[in-house]
Short mmCIF file of all heavy atoms in Angstrom, two decimals:
data_model
loop_
_atom_site.label_atom_id
_atom_site.label_comp_id
_atom_site.label_asym_id
_atom_site.label_seq_id
_atom_site.Cartn_x
_atom_site.Cartn_y
_atom_site.Cartn_z
N ASN A 2 12.62 8.45 -27.87
CA ASN A 2 11.64 9.40 -27.38
C ASN A 2 12.19 10.00 -26.05
O ASN A 2 13.13 9.55 -25.51
CB ASN A 2 10.35 8.69 -27.10
CG ASN A 2 9.66 8.18 -28.35
OD1 ASN A 2 8.88 8.86 -28.99
ND2 ASN A 2 9.96 6.94 -28.74
N GLU A 3 11.46 10.97 -25.61
CA GLU A 3 11.86 11.60 -24.27
C GLU A 3 10.60 11.89 -23.47
O GLU A 3 9.52 12.08 -24.04
CB GLU A 3 12.63 12.87 -24.49
CG GLU A 3 11.90 14.07 -25.16
CD GLU A 3 12.78 15.23 -25.29
OE1 GLU A 3 13.90 15.13 -25.84
OE2 GLU A 3 12.36 16.33 -24.86
N ILE A 4 10.79 11.94 -22.17
CA ILE A 4 9.77 12.30 -21.19
C ILE A 4 10.24 13.38 -20.31
O ILE A 4 11.38 13.35 -19.83
CB ILE A 4 9.30 11.07 -20.42
CG1 ILE A 4 8.17 11.51 -19.38
CG2 ILE A 4 10.40 10.36 -19.77
CD1 ILE A 4 7.59 10.39 -18.59
N SER A 5 9.41 14.34 -20.11
CA SER A 5 9.71 15.46 -19.12
C SER A 5 9.46 14.85 -17.79
O SER A 5 8.33 14.43 -17.49
CB SER A 5 8.89 16.67 -19.40
OG SER A 5 9.09 17.66 -18.43
N VAL A 6 10.43 14.84 -16.90
CA VAL A 6 10.25 14.27 -15.57
C VAL A 6 9.75 15.31 -14.62
O VAL A 6 10.50 16.01 -13.88
CB VAL A 6 11.60 13.65 -15.04
CG1 VAL A 6 11.36 12.95 -13.71
CG2 VAL A 6 12.20 12.72 -16.04
N ASP A 7 8.42 15.48 -14.64
CA ASP A 7 7.79 16.45 -13.74
C ASP A 7 7.25 15.72 -12.48
O ASP A 7 7.40 14.48 -12.31
CB ASP A 7 6.67 17.16 -14.49
CG ASP A 7 5.58 16.23 -15.06
OD1 ASP A 7 5.50 14.99 -14.55
OD2 ASP A 7 4.83 16.65 -15.90
N LYS A 8 6.64 16.44 -11.62
CA LYS A 8 6.20 15.89 -10.32
C LYS A 8 5.12 14.76 -10.58
O LYS A 8 5.14 13.69 -9.90
CB LYS A 8 5.61 16.98 -9.45
CG LYS A 8 5.23 16.49 -8.06
CD LYS A 8 4.85 17.63 -7.17
CE LYS A 8 4.56 17.12 -5.73
NZ LYS A 8 4.20 18.24 -4.80
N ASP A 9 4.24 14.95 -11.52
CA ASP A 9 3.18 13.93 -11.79
C ASP A 9 3.84 12.62 -12.19
O ASP A 9 3.41 11.58 -11.82
CB ASP A 9 2.22 14.46 -12.82
CG ASP A 9 1.30 15.52 -12.39
OD1 ASP A 9 1.19 15.68 -11.15
OD2 ASP A 9 0.62 16.17 -13.09
N ALA A 10 4.86 12.72 -13.08
CA ALA A 10 5.55 11.52 -13.61
C ALA A 10 6.25 10.79 -12.43
O ALA A 10 6.08 9.49 -12.32
CB ALA A 10 6.53 11.85 -14.64
N VAL A 11 6.82 11.51 -11.54
CA VAL A 11 7.49 10.87 -10.41
C VAL A 11 6.51 10.27 -9.42
O VAL A 11 6.64 9.10 -9.00
CB VAL A 11 8.34 11.92 -9.62
CG1 VAL A 11 8.84 11.30 -8.30
CG2 VAL A 11 9.54 12.36 -10.52
N ILE A 12 5.44 11.00 -9.11
CA ILE A 12 4.42 10.45 -8.24
C ILE A 12 3.76 9.18 -8.78
O ILE A 12 3.55 8.24 -8.05
CB ILE A 12 3.33 11.56 -7.93
CG1 ILE A 12 3.95 12.67 -7.09
CG2 ILE A 12 2.17 10.88 -7.10
CD1 ILE A 12 4.47 12.27 -5.75
N GLU A 13 3.44 9.22 -10.05
CA GLU A 13 2.79 8.00 -10.66
C GLU A 13 3.78 6.84 -10.62
O GLU A 13 3.37 5.71 -10.28
CB GLU A 13 2.45 8.33 -12.13
CG GLU A 13 1.73 7.15 -12.78
CD GLU A 13 1.25 7.43 -14.18
OE1 GLU A 13 0.95 8.58 -14.46
OE2 GLU A 13 1.19 6.47 -14.95
N THR A 14 5.06 7.02 -10.85
CA THR A 14 6.00 5.95 -10.83
C THR A 14 6.20 5.41 -9.36
O THR A 14 6.29 4.21 -9.21
CB THR A 14 7.37 6.47 -11.38
OG1 THR A 14 7.25 6.95 -12.69
CG2 THR A 14 8.39 5.36 -11.33
N LEU A 15 6.11 6.32 -8.45
CA LEU A 15 6.25 5.89 -7.08
C LEU A 15 5.00 5.10 -6.56
O LEU A 15 5.08 4.42 -5.53
CB LEU A 15 6.42 7.10 -6.10
CG LEU A 15 7.74 7.88 -6.24
CD1 LEU A 15 7.73 9.14 -5.36
CD2 LEU A 15 8.90 6.97 -5.83
N SER A 16 3.99 5.11 -7.34
CA SER A 16 2.74 4.35 -6.97
C SER A 16 2.83 2.91 -7.51
O SER A 16 1.96 2.09 -7.16
CB SER A 16 1.52 5.03 -7.56
OG SER A 16 1.47 4.88 -8.97
N LYS A 17 3.87 2.57 -8.27
CA LYS A 17 3.96 1.26 -8.84
C LYS A 17 4.59 0.30 -7.80
O LYS A 17 5.03 0.62 -6.75
CB LYS A 17 4.83 1.33 -10.08
CG LYS A 17 4.35 2.20 -11.17
CD LYS A 17 3.07 1.74 -11.78
CE LYS A 17 2.57 2.64 -12.95
NZ LYS A 17 1.33 2.17 -13.55
N GLY A 18 4.64 -1.02 -8.22
CA GLY A 18 5.03 -2.07 -7.32
C GLY A 18 6.56 -2.04 -6.99
O GLY A 18 7.05 -2.89 -6.22
N PHE A 19 7.30 -1.17 -7.56
CA PHE A 19 8.71 -0.99 -7.17
C PHE A 19 8.88 -0.61 -5.77
O PHE A 19 9.88 -0.84 -5.07
CB PHE A 19 9.42 0.02 -8.09
CG PHE A 19 9.50 -0.26 -9.49
CD1 PHE A 19 8.74 0.48 -10.38
CD2 PHE A 19 10.23 -1.32 -10.01
CE1 PHE A 19 8.76 0.23 -11.78
CE2 PHE A 19 10.29 -1.56 -11.33
CZ PHE A 19 9.57 -0.80 -12.21
N PHE A 20 7.86 0.12 -5.20
CA PHE A 20 7.97 0.79 -3.94
C PHE A 20 6.89 0.39 -2.96
O PHE A 20 5.77 -0.07 -3.43
CB PHE A 20 7.83 2.34 -4.11
CG PHE A 20 8.91 2.89 -5.12
CD1 PHE A 20 8.50 3.10 -6.42
CD2 PHE A 20 10.17 3.11 -4.73
CE1 PHE A 20 9.45 3.64 -7.42
CE2 PHE A 20 11.10 3.60 -5.62
CZ PHE A 20 10.75 3.81 -6.95
N THR A 21 7.19 0.43 -1.68
CA THR A 21 6.20 0.10 -0.64
C THR A 21 6.39 1.08 0.52
O THR A 21 7.43 1.73 0.60
CB THR A 21 6.45 -1.38 -0.19
OG1 THR A 21 5.35 -1.72 0.72
CG2 THR A 21 7.77 -1.54 0.48
N ARG A 22 5.36 1.14 1.31
CA ARG A 22 5.52 1.99 2.48
C ARG A 22 6.60 1.44 3.47
O ARG A 22 6.69 0.23 3.65
CB ARG A 22 4.18 2.01 3.28
CG ARG A 22 3.03 2.76 2.60
CD ARG A 22 1.86 2.88 3.52
NE ARG A 22 0.77 3.55 2.86
CZ ARG A 22 -0.47 3.81 3.51
NH1 ARG A 22 -0.57 3.42 4.72
NH2 ARG A 22 -1.42 4.39 2.80
N TYR A 23 7.36 2.36 4.02
CA TYR A 23 8.36 2.02 5.00
C TYR A 23 7.64 1.39 6.24
O TYR A 23 8.14 0.47 6.90
CB TYR A 23 9.18 3.16 5.32
CG TYR A 23 10.33 2.85 6.39
CD1 TYR A 23 11.51 2.29 5.94
CD2 TYR A 23 10.17 3.17 7.70
CE1 TYR A 23 12.53 2.01 6.80
CE2 TYR A 23 11.19 2.88 8.61
CZ TYR A 23 12.37 2.30 8.14
OH TYR A 23 13.35 2.01 9.05
N SER A 24 6.53 2.00 6.62
CA SER A 24 5.76 1.51 7.77
C SER A 24 4.34 1.90 7.50
O SER A 24 3.99 2.70 6.65
CB SER A 24 6.25 2.10 9.06
OG SER A 24 6.02 3.52 9.10
N ASN A 25 3.42 1.33 8.30
CA ASN A 25 1.99 1.65 8.16
C ASN A 25 1.65 3.02 8.75
O ASN A 25 0.51 3.48 8.58
CB ASN A 25 1.19 0.52 8.82
CG ASN A 25 1.27 -0.77 8.10
OD1 ASN A 25 1.38 -0.83 6.88
ND2 ASN A 25 1.18 -1.88 8.83
N ASP A 26 2.63 3.59 9.43
CA ASP A 26 2.36 4.86 10.11
C ASP A 26 2.30 6.01 9.15
O ASP A 26 1.71 7.03 9.43
CB ASP A 26 3.39 5.10 11.19
CG ASP A 26 3.44 4.08 12.29
OD1 ASP A 26 2.36 3.47 12.50
OD2 ASP A 26 4.45 3.86 12.92
N SER A 27 3.00 5.87 7.98
CA SER A 27 3.06 7.04 7.02
C SER A 27 3.02 6.53 5.67
O SER A 27 3.74 5.61 5.22
CB SER A 27 4.34 7.82 7.33
OG SER A 27 4.50 8.82 6.38
N ALA A 28 2.14 7.23 4.86
CA ALA A 28 2.11 6.88 3.40
C ALA A 28 3.10 7.69 2.64
O ALA A 28 3.25 7.49 1.42
CB ALA A 28 0.67 7.17 2.90
N ASP A 29 3.80 8.63 3.29
CA ASP A 29 4.76 9.53 2.56
C ASP A 29 6.13 8.92 2.53
O ASP A 29 6.93 9.38 1.76
CB ASP A 29 4.79 10.88 3.37
CG ASP A 29 3.52 11.64 3.23
OD1 ASP A 29 2.85 11.48 2.14
OD2 ASP A 29 3.18 12.39 4.08
N LYS A 30 6.45 7.90 3.39
CA LYS A 30 7.79 7.38 3.41
C LYS A 30 7.88 6.05 2.71
O LYS A 30 7.25 5.06 3.18
CB LYS A 30 8.25 7.19 4.90
CG LYS A 30 9.71 6.80 5.03
CD LYS A 30 10.05 6.71 6.57
CE LYS A 30 11.52 6.43 6.77
NZ LYS A 30 11.81 6.33 8.22
N LEU A 31 8.57 5.99 1.55
CA LEU A 31 8.59 4.82 0.73
C LEU A 31 10.02 4.23 0.71
O LEU A 31 11.03 5.00 0.79
CB LEU A 31 8.15 5.13 -0.68
CG LEU A 31 6.72 5.70 -0.86
CD1 LEU A 31 6.57 6.08 -2.32
CD2 LEU A 31 5.66 4.80 -0.36
N VAL A 32 10.07 2.89 0.48
CA VAL A 32 11.33 2.25 0.18
C VAL A 32 11.11 1.29 -0.98
O VAL A 32 9.99 1.03 -1.36
CB VAL A 32 11.83 1.42 1.46
CG1 VAL A 32 12.23 2.37 2.60
CG2 VAL A 32 10.81 0.45 1.89
#
């Protein structure tokens, strides 16, 4: 199968437990 990697797909994946905030000061910076 295939998936189109659009912005929604990326944002949803970034919300998973693979990633965390770099600091509490910003929700935009993830590691």
Side-chain angles (χ1 to χ4, degrees):
N2 295 268
E3 65 180 51
I4 176 175
S5 176
V6 185
D7 57 19
K8 186 172 183 179
D9 286 347
V11 170
I12 292 297
E13 182 175 333
T14 302
L15 291 175
S16 74
K17 301 294 185 178
F19 298 111
F20 305 97
T21 187
R22 290 185 182 184
Y23 181 81
S24 68
N25 292 328
D26 298 334
S27 174
D29 291 329
K30 188 177 182 181
L31 303 177
V32 292

